[in-house]
Amino acid sequence: MEESRPLPMFRCEQIESGRLAKEWIEWKGALEYYLESYQIIDQKMKRSKMLHLGGPQLQKVFRSLEGTGNFPVILLEKPWYDLAIERLDAYFKPRKQDVLERYKLRNMKQGSNERFSHFVLRLRQQLLDCGLEKYPQDVRSSVEDMMLIDVIVEGCISPELRRKILEKDQSLSEIESLGSSMESVREQELEMKRRSSDVISELDVRKVDNIPADRAARKQQRIVKRFVSKPSPREQGNGLKVICYACGKLGHISRDLACPAKGQQCRRCQIFGHFEKVCRKRGSSVVRDNSLTKKVRTVCNESTSTPAKEDASNDVVDQKIYYTFHTGNESNLLKCDVGGVLIDVIIDSGSDANLVSAATWEMMKAKCVVVQKCTKGSHKILKAYGSEAPLNLLGSFEAMVKLGTRSVSAEFFVVEKGQRNILGDSTSKLLGVLKVGVDVNQVEVPTPFPKIKDVQVRIKMDPSAVPVFQPLRRIPIALEHAVNKKLDELLAKDIIEPKSGPATWVSPLVVAKKANGEIRLCVDLRRVNQAVIRDRHPMPVIEDVLAKIGRGNIWSTLDIKDAFFLLELDEESRNVTTFISHRGLYQFKRLPFGLVSAPEIFQRTMDAILADCEGAYWYLDDVDVEGGTVEEHDMRLSKV
């Protein structure tokens, strides 16, 4: 019955979330062609056809949507189908962030072998996802050209093109034509140099000389025999014996500025600085025989109904085959529920099929495995790596596979004399145990930064002081990503919050580097500090603290992380800490670094907390605990 359907069911629960929107658009387009070909125009009939052909998973999604049957009373013909498509489009619409897409655009680079026109095309495709469609057409066109020019300047691989663009302002069309023409000229120059350097005399290549005893001399002779072009009469007359390992010619070394291989890319290893004829990198055609030491468990899937393609000269085109090696590593061995029976499977990204051994299949039958379909024999051909003979398949079956919280329906092949049970590439990805690329969909919810209980700080301001609104200070582009990440981290930890409403005191943002290479976001509060009425509190003298330490035998040192952020500001004082960034206005909810009264406030809080702790000495966020014995030290440390 499945083969008689005009459209395949839309199994939305089995499609990766990143491809769901694209798959829905393709399936919806096929549905439109079907409805048009059968001249189905009634709205309710079109909706029924869509849900019937979509299958149970699409029907489940449709039932969960709201407002699929809300129509105005005045409509004579209710748009059942159009409203259903509108709701499903909104459900399957990809979730994207404009800021993230623009960040991806700014970080795009031209590949080493990528043509300039292809690079510009990739930029234009990425620009479509940057959320500029909300602006008017004239503004959008100007912004798009400006963004593309900036990315081309930073991401192109041609220094000459970058210099030409920076010499004077040019339009995007002029830059595109300039880049294409310069690329064409460069390719012609490389082709001319390649033809001149590829002239090698067969007599010199095949010439056999006496083998020197010295190892360095033998190495030099091998390069002469394999790569070096015939020296000119002038070189022979001068008796030049030095060989350049970059271009293969006599008379200079590879560091010589006159070497023709300077800046040239090898067509074999893609590394700059030498020609292909003298490349010493091993080719990919070298195959070592590991059959004696490694077991092979890769399976490639070939359809018996598809003949090999032949070109005009009757040469057979090889089909694509995937290989992998089993080195005895058992780290990817998992317990998997197949049809209600637990079996050991190996996750293999190189296998096109799921396999179980004949012994495992007999064990599963004894435990009453639940299968959806079972077939004796198989219409597919499975081959192991390094073997032309196909595997002997006893049959195949379909069953539900459960791993963790996920479950999918998959087909398994029973292999006679099989050694391992294998979970193939596609099934492993559907179950979530195999993923390629960075998991950008994973969301980590940070916990709020801790704070000292029942303590709120009030910043006292001089009422006669005039508030100052300071302008934005631009940050380097190289630090923009780190600053954005730090702002998001401070927001998630409840240290800062967006500023809403009118602002009086506004200070600029300052980026300071820590000793560990990270950055610390500070605020230039010098103008605010001029109006702050300080809370006077005696600060300990470091000499007095050092004089008291040393009477015990065991010491421990504690350092409080981001100490000032442990103190919460009251509502009225937060407006004073407002700062301006490239993302807008924010204000601190905790005591910020840079405030003139912050050290005294924090020291006063530490004095109140640790006043009863014997054997403890502290200065701001550094606390030392000492004891005469281990028991005494541990007791004091536990109290602190």
Side-chain angles (χ1 to χ4, degrees):
M1 293 295 293
E2 183 69 21
E3 288 144 2
S4 64
R5 297 172 59 88
L7 289 177
M9 288 190 294
F10 188 66
R11 296 182 172 90
C12 47
E13 296 179 1
Q14 300 177 12
I15 300 176
E16 296 182 10
S17 58
R19 296 181 52 85
L20 193 57
K22 182 179 179 181
E23 295 286 346
W24 164 248
I25 293 175
E26 294 178 355
W27 189 88
K28 183 178 67 173
L31 175 66
E32 295 288 348
Y33 287 133
Y34 166 76
L35 297 176
E36 183 180 356
S37 62
Y38 282 89
Q39 298 180 357
I40 302 175
I41 59 176
D42 182 71
Q43 285 281 324
K44 199 164 187 177
M45 179 62 71
K46 290 170 67 175
R47 190 185 74 166
S48 300
K49 280 288 186 181
M50 176 193 67
L51 295 176
H52 169 69
L53 297 176
Q57 296 182 8
L58 183 62
Q59 296 168 15
K60 179 181 177 182
V61 171
F62 182 77
R63 286 193 296 270
S64 66
L65 301 178
E66 297 181 357
T68 56
N70 299 332
F71 306 105
V73 182
I74 59 175
L75 291 179
L76 298 178
E77 182 181 357
K78 297 180 180 180
W80 299 94
Y81 175 75
D82 295 341
L83 184 59
I85 289 294
E86 180 182 346
R87 294 291 187 270
L88 289 172
D89 285 343
Y91 179 82
F92 292 121
K93 182 180 179 181
R95 279 72 171 173
K96 65 184 183 68
Q97 296 181 355
D98 296 341
V99 176
L100 177 61
E101 299 300 331
R102 291 196 294 270
Y103 171 74
K104 292 180 181 179
L105 175 67
R106 292 194 300 271
N107 286 271
M108 292 179 68
K109 305 293 182 183
Q110 183 181 2
S112 57
N113 295 324
E114 185 181 23
R115 298 187 65 85
F116 180 75
S117 58
H118 295 168
F119 174 54
V120 176
L121 180 60
R122 282 199 301 115
L123 296 181
R124 291 187 181 277
Q125 293 174 346
Q126 178 63 29
L127 193 62
L128 296 176
D129 298 331
C130 292
L132 300 179
E133 62 275 359
K134 62 177 71 70
Y135 299 105
Q137 182 61 35
D138 53 347
V139 176
R140 174 183 176 183
S141 178
S142 302
V143 173
E144 287 180 348
D145 290 354
M146 185 168 50
M147 293 177 65
L148 287 178
I149 292 175
D150 292 344
V151 177
I152 290 174
V153 171
E154 296 182 8
C156 68
I157 61 175
S158 173
E160 299 179 27
L161 177 60
R162 185 178 297 108
R163 186 171 60 253
K164 290 287 186 182
I165 298 175
L166 296 177
E167 284 179 356
K168 62 177 182 178
D169 292 336
Q170 304 178 63
S171 64
L172 180 60
S173 59
E174 293 174 343
I175 293 176
E176 289 187 54
S177 60
L178 177 63
S180 300
S181 61
M182 293 180 63
E183 186 177 59
S184 178
V185 172
R186 186 166 58 252
E187 290 177 352
Q188 293 177 9
E189 292 178 351
L190 293 176
E191 181 65 20
M192 294 174 64
K193 290 182 179 180
R194 185 187 64 81
R195 290 182 179 180
S196 61
S197 62
D198 284 347
V199 180
I200 302 175
S201 173
E202 294 185 1
L203 295 178
D204 287 336
V205 173
R206 298 179 180 178
K207 181 179 178 181
V208 179
D209 297 329
N210 294 329
I211 301 177
D214 183 61
R215 180 179 180 183
R218 291 200 305 270
K219 181 178 180 181
Q220 180 176 353
Q221 185 188 76
R222 286 198 302 270
I223 295 181
V224 171
K225 291 191 297 181
R226 294 180 57 193
F227 307 121
V228 179
S229 303
K230 185 176 180 180
S232 63
R234 180 179 63 83
E235 292 173 336
Q236 290 180 350
N238 294 334
L240 296 175
K241 300 297 184 182
V242 181
I243 299 174
C244 175
Y245 295 113
C247 67
K249 293 186 178 181
L250 297 173
H252 65 274
I253 59 178
S254 59
R255 295 192 298 271
D256 196 337
L257 296 178
C259 178
K262 285 289 183 183
Q264 303 302 318
Q265 185 180 20
C266 175
R267 293 181 299 172
R268 184 178 186 183
C269 66
Q270 307 302 321
I271 298 177
F272 289 86
H274 64 272
F275 289 141
E276 178 186 8
K277 63 179 182 178
V278 294
C279 180
R280 293 189 290 268
K281 187 176 180 65
R282 290 183 178 271
S284 59
S285 60
V286 178
V287 179
R288 298 180 179 179
D289 186 10
N290 295 325
S291 59
L292 298 179
T293 60
K294 296 183 179 180
K295 297 180 180 180
V296 179
R297 57 177 177 84
T298 299
V299 177
C300 58
N301 185 357
E302 295 182 1
S303 176
T304 56
S305 60
T306 305
K309 298 181 180 179
E310 297 185 358
D311 56 12
S313 59
N314 294 328
D315 294 333
V316 178
V317 180
D318 293 336
Q319 295 183 352
K320 186 176 181 180
I321 300 177
Y322 300 90
Y323 302 102
T324 190
F325 296 93
H326 175 42
T327 59
N329 182 18
E330 302 295 334
S331 61
N332 53 353
L333 183 65
L334 300 176
K335 288 281 188 181
C336 186
D337 185 333
V338 180
V341 180
L342 283 178
I343 62 173
D344 292 327
V345 296
I346 289 181
I347 308 302
D348 187 356
S349 61
S351 176
D352 292 337
N354 306 313
L355 303 181
V356 295
S357 63
T360 302
W361 174 239
E362 294 297 331
M363 180 270 294
M364 296 173 67
K365 289 194 296 183
K367 293 186 177 182
C368 301
V369 60
V370 179
V371 298
Q372 300 169 351
K373 184 173 66 174
C374 186
T375 307
K376 187 175 182 179
S378 177
H379 64 285
K380 294 184 179 181
I381 297 177
L382 303 182
K383 289 184 179 180
Y385 177 84
S387 174
E388 293 297 330
L391 298 176
N392 188 9
L393 302 180
L394 301 180
S396 63
F397 65 92
E398 291 185 10
M400 291 299 297
V401 185
K402 295 181 180 180
L403 197 57
T405 58
R406 297 190 181 185
S407 61
V408 296
S409 177
E411 182 181 21
F412 285 80
F413 295 93
V414 182
V415 182
E416 185 182 12
K417 299 181 180 179
Q419 301 296 321
R420 288 289 189 182
N421 306 320
I422 296 177
L423 201 64
D425 178 75
S426 59
T427 307
S428 301
K429 290 179 178 177
L430 290 175
L431 290 171
V433 295
L434 181 63
K435 181 178 284 291
V436 179
V438 180
D439 192 0
V440 298
N441 295 323
Q442 184 176 359
V443 179
E444 180 180 356
V445 181
T447 57
F449 195 79
K451 57 185 177 182
I452 298 178
K453 186 179 179 181
D454 299 331
V455 176
Q456 278 200 340
V457 177
R458 177 183 292 273
I459 302 175
K460 300 177 182 179
M461 302 293 293
D462 185 359
S464 62
V466 179
V468 179
F469 189 106
Q470 300 185 63
L472 171 67
R473 291 184 187 176
R474 299 292 179 182
I475 60 175
I477 297 178
L479 296 178
E480 185 176 343
H481 174 64
V483 171
N484 289 332
K485 183 178 179 181
K486 196 66 177 180
L487 287 174
D488 294 336
E489 179 183 344
L490 294 176
L491 284 170
K493 290 184 177 181
D494 198 39
I495 295 175
I496 64 174
E497 63 183 357
K499 172 63 178 175
S500 59
T504 54
W505 292 95
V506 177
S507 305
L509 190 66
V510 179
V511 181
K513 280 201 171 184
K514 297 182 181 180
N516 59 2
E518 298 181 357
I519 66 169
R520 175 186 285 118
L521 295 187
C522 304
V523 181
D524 187 359
L525 297 172
R526 287 179 293 180
R527 300 298 298 272
V528 175
N529 290 334
Q530 295 174 2
V532 172
I533 301 177
R534 297 178 58 179
D535 291 347
R536 299 296 180 178
H537 182 80
M539 298 292 292
V541 181
I542 192 65
E543 288 79 6
D544 296 341
V545 177
L546 293 177
K548 296 177 182 179
I549 298 177
R551 301 174 183 176
N553 297 321
I554 302 174
W555 297 269
S556 292
T557 300
L558 308 177
D559 183 25
I560 305 176
K561 177 179 176 60
D562 295 332
F564 289 0
F565 290 160
L566 294 173
L567 298 180
E568 185 179 16
L569 293 175
D570 64 358
E571 293 289 343
E572 297 179 4
S573 300
R574 295 176 184 179
N575 181 58
V576 179
T577 64
T578 302
F579 64 92
I580 185 172
S581 70
H582 65 286
R583 287 171 41 171
L585 296 181
Y586 296 89
Q587 64 184 13
F588 276 90
K589 300 178 69 176
R590 309 295 181 90
L591 184 65
F593 294 90
L595 191 68
V596 65
S597 59
E600 294 169 306
I601 294 174
F602 186 80
Q603 184 67 34
R604 182 181 60 193
T605 306
M606 292 291 292
D607 291 347
I609 294 175
L610 301 178
D612 297 330
C613 295
E614 184 180 3
Y617 310 96
W618 59 93
Y619 181 80
L620 293 178
D621 59 345
D622 293 318
V623 182
D624 290 308
V625 182
E626 67 177 8
T629 61
V630 176
E631 293 78 10
E632 183 183 42
H633 167 269
D634 292 346
M635 181 186 65
R636 292 177 174 179
L637 182 63
S638 177
K639 187 175 182 180
V640 170

